[in-house]
């Protein structure tokens, strides 16, 4: 008991001076393997001392008396038990760190109720709590047939996520016997990501968002097929598609790459929401412990958010995570080109660079360059070659001279694209309005997404009206 009090006092003194990592090193250096403290995460009454059975090639069985997590979409989230569990397992938080739940109980976020100084430790999650693809392979064993299938589907880069997916399913099977049960029981059941959408939903989205959502569904199909080769799960788990979809979505909405070329889920750190402006930066140390540090001086009452991806690519965030980032400063201009050639790529054809800016109506230079290049390809191949070569050698004056000569044609091309897209968007929104909410409950979010895109396009049209004359 005295040792516990000393460790607690040490943690408070270190976090007050912004030296949480030194606290961890200090505890690890002066606490023996059979003592109580951070290094005791693997022993004693800590739930992780139980471990998980290594049964990669054995048929799994689940006791009829094990209480399993209810993964029904309307099941409640038990955040309070998870919060207590995390503290008991060695998670350490700065003063002011607070979990909050949305009024409808569907979304959890992190806020601070105290001022936080820049570059200070906000959260520490011990390595033993963190799930990774590599740990899952080590525990469950590799499944060569599943890996071969994913390779044939050109999804080799998703193999770490697949093993993390198996790990989530394995811990689900263990029910309350799983060391991670309180965390699993705190997770969302209802998602709006691409894999959760119906085919009707994806048909109601603009081309890029619809394509990204469909890709999520295709990848999930690959994972389900790969499950058939897995021996560490019981047949009920393997055949339960709703459960598989939940586990898949947990992995793809809560994992992030680490410094070791793997993917990981760090319980408690996975409660940080996304923000265009981020208050939190996540990192790991050599032992695999996870840290969150403040990125600037954060006033009390502020959300604590990390980045899930490029904020100028809200379509990706929408399809992968199932939320609309209305704080995004820009969005892809929706000029879809199948298999763009090298010259188009050299000019900047990329979803992250071909941008319309939401608040100002500005158009990125890459959009103007690609529109001009496409126009010249049909009207004047010689000028197209001159324009491209000037771009490649950095000849700004020649490039601008070609732009000036074709300014009206390029502006007309932009207007034609905007007007055609807005007409198509109106058709999609009407389709959403006529959909059945009971069958497709995510339609309101889709309509909100389409309205966000529409407002951005109208802003661009308004800001560039002078060029249409």
């Amino acid at each position: 008991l005295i040792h516990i009090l000393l460790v607690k006092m040490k943690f408070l003194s270190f976090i007050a001076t912004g030296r949480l990592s030194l606290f961890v090193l200090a505890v690890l250096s002066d606490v023996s393997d059979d003592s109580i403290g951070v290094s005791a995460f693997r022993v004693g009454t800590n739930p992780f001392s139980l471990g998980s059975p290594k049964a990669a090639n054995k048929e799994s069985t689940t006791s009829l008396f094990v209480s399993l997590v209810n993964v029904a979409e309307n099941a409640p989230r038990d955040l309070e038990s998870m919060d207590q569990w995390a503290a008991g397992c060695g998670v350490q938080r700065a003063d002011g760190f607070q979990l909050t739940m949305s009024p409808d109980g569907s979304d959890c976020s992190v806020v601070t109720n105290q001022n936080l100084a820049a570059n200070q430790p906000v959260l520490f999650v011990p390595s033993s709590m963190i799930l990774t693809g590599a740990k899952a392979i080590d525990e469950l064993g590799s499944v060569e047939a599943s890996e071969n299938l994913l390779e044939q589907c050109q999804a080799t880069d998703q193999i770490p996520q697949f093993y993390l997916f198996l790990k989530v399913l394995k811990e689900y099977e263990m029910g309350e016997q799983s060391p991670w049960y309180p965390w699993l029981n705190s997770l969302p059941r209802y998602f709006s990501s691409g894999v959760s959408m119906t085919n009707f939903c994806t048909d109601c989205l603009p081309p890029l968002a619809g394509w990204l959502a469909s890709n999520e569904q295709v990848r999930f199909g690959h994972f389900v097929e790969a499950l058939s080769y897995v021996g560490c799960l019981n047949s009920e788990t393997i055949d339960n598609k709703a459960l598989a979809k939940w586990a898949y979505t947990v992995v793809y909405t809560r994992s992030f790459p680490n410094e070791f070329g793997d993917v990981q889920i760090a319980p408690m750190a996975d409660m940080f929401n996304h923000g265009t402006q981020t208050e939190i930066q996540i990192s790991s140390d050599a032992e695999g412990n996870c840290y969150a540090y403040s990125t600037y001086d954060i006033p009390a009452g502020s959300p604590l958010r990390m980045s899930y991806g490029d904020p100028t690519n809200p379509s990706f965030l929408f399809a992968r995570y199932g939320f609309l980032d209305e704080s995004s400063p820009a969005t892809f201009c929706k000029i879809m080109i199948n298999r763009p050639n090298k010259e188009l790529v050299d000019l900047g054809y990329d979803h992250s660079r071909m941008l319309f800016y939401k608040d100002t109506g500005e158009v990125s230079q890459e959009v103007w360059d690609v529109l001009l290049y496409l126009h010249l390809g049909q009207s004047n191949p010689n000028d197209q070659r001159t324009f491209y070569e000037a771009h490649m050698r950095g000849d700004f004056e020649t490039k601008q001279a070609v732009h000036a000569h074709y300014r009206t044609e390029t502006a007309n091309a932009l207007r034609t694209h905007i007007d055609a897209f807005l007409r198509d968007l109106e058709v999609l929104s009407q389709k959403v309005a006529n959909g059945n909410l009971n069958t497709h409950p995510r339609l309101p979010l889709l309509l909100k997404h389409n309205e966000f895109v529409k407002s951005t396009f109208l802003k661009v049209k308004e800001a560039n009206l002078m060029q249409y004359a």
Side-chain angles (χ1 to χ4, degrees):
L1 179 61
I2 293 174
H3 192 85
I4 293 174
L5 292 174
L6 289 173
V7 170
K8 255 185 193 178
M9 291 173 62
K10 185 179 291 186
F11 168 66
L12 292 174
S13 66
F14 273 83
I15 200 169
T17 57
R19 297 177 294 159
L20 181 56
S21 59
L22 295 181
F23 161 77
V24 176
L25 292 175
V27 173
L28 291 175
S29 64
D30 66 13
V31 179
S32 64
D33 287 342
D34 57 353
S35 299
I36 299 176
V38 172
S39 65
F41 193 69
R42 300 181 299 275
V43 301
T45 59
N46 188 296
F48 289 89
S49 64
L50 300 174
S52 296
K54 192 163 187 174
N57 298 306
K58 298 179 181 179
E59 180 66 21
S60 172
T61 59
T62 302
S63 169
L64 295 175
F65 303 103
V66 170
S67 177
L68 302 175
V69 172
N70 182 0
V71 299
E73 288 189 343
N74 61 351
R77 301 175 62 178
D78 185 357
L79 204 64
E80 183 178 354
S81 296
M82 188 280 295
D83 202 7
Q84 297 171 356
W85 165 81
C89 291
V91 169
Q92 296 151 15
R93 294 168 278 197
D95 291 340
F97 182 106
Q98 180 179 337
L99 295 176
T100 63
M101 188 70 82
S102 62
D104 64 359
S106 63
D107 183 48
C108 174
S109 60
V110 185
V111 299
T112 176
N113 57 32
Q114 296 187 22
N115 295 334
L116 295 177
N119 302 315
Q120 299 303 304
V122 174
L123 179 71
F124 166 77
V125 182
S127 173
S128 300
M129 287 180 67
I130 297 172
L131 300 89
T132 73
K135 287 181 182 178
I137 294 174
D138 183 60
E139 175 190 326
L140 305 175
S142 61
V143 187
E144 185 177 354
S146 296
E147 292 188 17
N148 290 339
L149 174 66
L150 294 175
E151 289 172 6
Q152 292 169 13
C153 297
Q154 299 181 337
T156 304
D157 59 333
Q158 303 302 309
I159 289 176
Q161 286 89 339
F162 176 73
Y163 282 105
L164 207 50
F165 167 70
L166 295 186
K167 174 64 174 175
V168 171
L169 290 173
K170 186 63 184 178
E171 296 306 320
Y172 165 85
E173 278 191 353
M174 294 177 66
E176 290 180 319
Q177 297 175 11
S178 166
W180 282 274
Y181 178 84
W183 170 71
L184 291 171
N185 205 31
S186 75
L187 297 178
R189 274 51 159 207
Y190 183 90
F191 294 95
S192 295
S193 55
V195 73
S196 304
M197 296 179 189
T198 63
N199 291 335
F200 179 84
C201 287
T202 57
D203 289 343
C204 292
L205 290 169
L208 177 60
W211 177 71
L212 291 170
S214 296
N215 282 350
E216 294 293 326
Q217 295 174 357
V218 169
R219 186 184 300 114
F220 171 65
H222 294 157
F223 275 36
V224 169
E225 188 176 355
L227 267 181
S228 63
Y229 301 106
V230 173
C232 63
L233 301 172
N234 65 46
S235 58
E236 290 82 2
T237 298
I238 291 173
D239 294 337
N240 189 337
K241 192 170 182 179
L243 171 61
K245 184 173 291 188
W246 177 76
Y248 172 94
T249 311
V250 165
V251 168
Y252 276 93
T253 59
R254 309 190 85 79
S255 68
F256 51 87
N258 61 22
E259 288 85 343
F260 312 108
D262 198 359
V263 290
Q264 67 180 37
I265 302 178
M268 190 60 78
D270 65 330
M271 297 295 171
F272 290 121
N273 279 344
H274 167 82
T276 296
Q277 179 181 6
T278 59
E279 293 77 21
I280 295 299
Q281 179 71 41
I282 301 287
S283 64
S284 300
D285 62 19
E287 286 73 40
N289 302 305
C290 176
Y291 299 84
Y293 284 86
S294 54
T295 57
Y296 62 91
D297 291 336
I298 307 170
S302 299
L304 299 181
R305 300 166 299 187
M306 60 181 286
S307 174
Y308 290 2
D310 183 357
T312 65
N313 192 358
S315 293
F316 166 77
L317 297 173
F318 182 77
R320 171 61 58 84
Y321 297 97
F323 65 85
L324 176 61
D325 182 16
E326 296 184 87
S327 68
S328 177
T331 186
F332 174 56
C333 68
K334 318 303 182 189
I335 296 175
M336 301 292 290
I337 301 175
N338 291 326
R339 296 187 179 87
N341 63 32
K342 180 181 182 301
E343 293 186 358
L344 279 168
V345 174
D346 289 340
L347 288 168
Y349 185 81
D350 185 274
H351 297 156
S352 65
R353 299 174 64 186
M354 301 274 291
L355 302 176
F356 285 171
Y357 287 87
K358 179 190 66 173
D359 297 324
T360 65
E362 292 181 58
V363 176
S364 68
Q365 184 60 48
E366 288 83 357
V367 174
W368 294 116
D369 288 350
V370 167
L371 286 173
L372 177 55
Y373 177 87
L374 293 173
H375 170 74
L376 293 175
Q378 296 178 341
S379 63
N380 195 325
N382 289 334
D383 282 357
Q384 183 189 52
R385 178 54 44 191
T386 298
F387 175 74
Y388 172 74
E389 290 178 351
H391 173 84
M392 293 303 293
R393 65 175 179 268
D395 184 351
F396 179 78
E397 291 185 5
T398 299
K399 188 178 172 184
Q400 287 305 102
V402 180
H403 264 299
H405 185 73
Y406 291 97
R407 189 177 307 279
T408 300
E409 291 83 354
T410 309
N412 285 336
L414 179 63
R415 177 184 59 189
T416 299
H417 167 67
I418 290 175
D419 289 344
F421 184 83
L422 287 173
R423 288 193 299 270
D424 293 342
L425 199 59
E426 187 62 33
V427 172
L428 294 175
S429 295
Q430 188 59 48
K431 185 174 182 178
V432 172
N434 294 333
N436 186 326
L437 280 176
N438 293 324
T439 308
H440 315 288
R442 294 159 184 84
L443 288 179
L445 179 62
L446 271 61
L447 185 60
K448 189 176 180 181
H449 171 273
N450 291 355
E451 288 299 317
F452 171 82
V453 175
K454 178 181 178 180
S455 66
T456 302
F457 271 62
L458 288 173
K459 188 71 175 179
V460 171
K461 184 173 181 178
E462 177 187 357
N464 291 273
L465 279 176
M466 293 296 293
Q467 299 189 54
Y468 293 163

